[in-house]
């Protein structure tokens, strides 16, 4: 293998590494967005549970 072939091989490896890094960043951002969405949904359910608990307590008090 001559120097030019080695250089081309290194360029291809570098391009692959850069593309892989970019893909991992994109995937990480997607997972973070999914986690953020799940956290928002969990907070919404928690608020709903608190609201329902208050309604239940109010109903018990009025009995």
């Amino acid at each position: 293998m001559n120097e030019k072939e080695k250089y081309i091989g290194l360029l291809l490896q570098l391009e692959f590494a850069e593309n892989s890094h970019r893909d991992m960043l994109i995937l990480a951002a997607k997972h973070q967005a999914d986690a953020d969405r799940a956290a928002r949904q969990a907070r919404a359910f928690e608020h709903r549970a608190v609201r329902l608990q208050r309604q239940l307590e109010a109903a018990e008090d009025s009995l």
Side-chain angles (χ1 to χ4, degrees), residues 1 5 7-8 11-12 14 20 22 25 28 30 32-33 37-39 46 49-50 55 61:
M1 182 181 283
E5 291 171 336
Y7 179 76
I8 291 170
L11 282 177
L12 291 173
L14 177 61
S20 296
R22 183 201 65 220
L25 289 176
K30 179 192 178 302
Q32 184 62 52
R37 189 170 20 266
E46 181 181 15
V50 168
Q55 290 175 358
D61 290 345

Side-chain angles (χ1 to χ4, degrees), residues 53-63:
Q53 181 65 36
R54 288 181 184 153
Q55 290 175 358
L56 177 63
E57 291 169 358
E60 289 174 347
D61 290 345
S62 67
L63 291 178

Side-chain angles (χ1 to χ4, degrees), residues 34-54:
D34 291 344
D36 292 346
R37 189 170 20 266
R40 283 193 302 275
Q41 289 175 341
R43 283 191 301 275
F45 279 112
E46 181 181 15
H47 289 273
R48 183 175 180 207
V50 168
R51 191 169 51 251
L52 291 171
Q53 181 65 36
R54 288 181 184 153

